[in-house]
Amino acid sequence: VQLQASGGGLVQAGGSLRLSCTASGSIFSINAMFWYRQAPGKQRELAAAITSGGSTNYLDSVKGRFTISRDNAKNTVFLQMNSLKPEDTALYFCSATVVTTARSIVNYWGQGTLVTVSS
């Protein structure tokens, strides 16, 4: 199973970006999907999460600005980021809890996509 993330870039403060992450491979189903972020010199933190049923959870500092969603048919999770702030600058990673075709439950990670917000 592989997760491929895209959509990062350089944006001015107040701007928007949309991240995407698609899972592929030996997938039976996907449970929760996540977006984590890691700023320079800081620990990785969970920015947003979404269950298979669509329930969501957000880091307090992104509530009201970020929206996580998913397309189950395409095994894809999105992160719409609005009103971006310089402190949102980080490497963003997607993750998913996957039930494989062998019926194992495994947590997979994608490569990071860099988001840089200039002031």
Side-chain angles (χ1 to χ4, degrees):
V1 176
Q2 293 184 330
L3 272 65
Q4 181 68 45
S6 62
L10 174 63
V11 63
Q12 288 189 331
S16 298
L17 282 174
R18 189 188 195 214
L19 306 182
S20 300
C21 176
T22 298
S24 61
S26 301
I27 298 169
F28 176 74
S29 65
I30 300 178
N31 295 339
M33 303 185 83
F34 311 89
W35 284 102
Y36 286 80
R37 68 184 187 182
Q38 186 166 17
K42 295 188 177 181
Q43 289 188 328
R44 189 174 298 188
E45 60 183 1
L46 177 62
I50 185 167
T51 67
S52 57
S55 297
T56 59
N57 194 28
Y58 296 95
L59 183 68
D60 283 348
S61 61
V62 308
K63 283 180 181 176
R65 300 187 298 118
F66 289 12
T67 302
I68 189 170
S69 61
R70 62 192 283 174
D71 183 335
N72 290 330
K74 296 181 178 179
N75 291 333
T76 298
V77 62
F78 306 98
L79 187 66
Q80 178 67 44
M81 304 184 294
N82 299 329
S83 302
L84 282 161
K85 304 175 180 180
E87 51 263 42
D88 295 318
T89 294
L91 198 56
Y92 283 72
F93 298 88
C94 60
S95 178
T97 304
V98 175
V99 180
T100 69
T101 52
R103 300 305 190 268
S104 297
I105 300 175
V106 182
N107 198 63
Y108 290 94
W109 290 84
Q111 88 291 1
T113 184
L114 183 63
V115 172
T116 304
V117 184
S118 63
S119 57

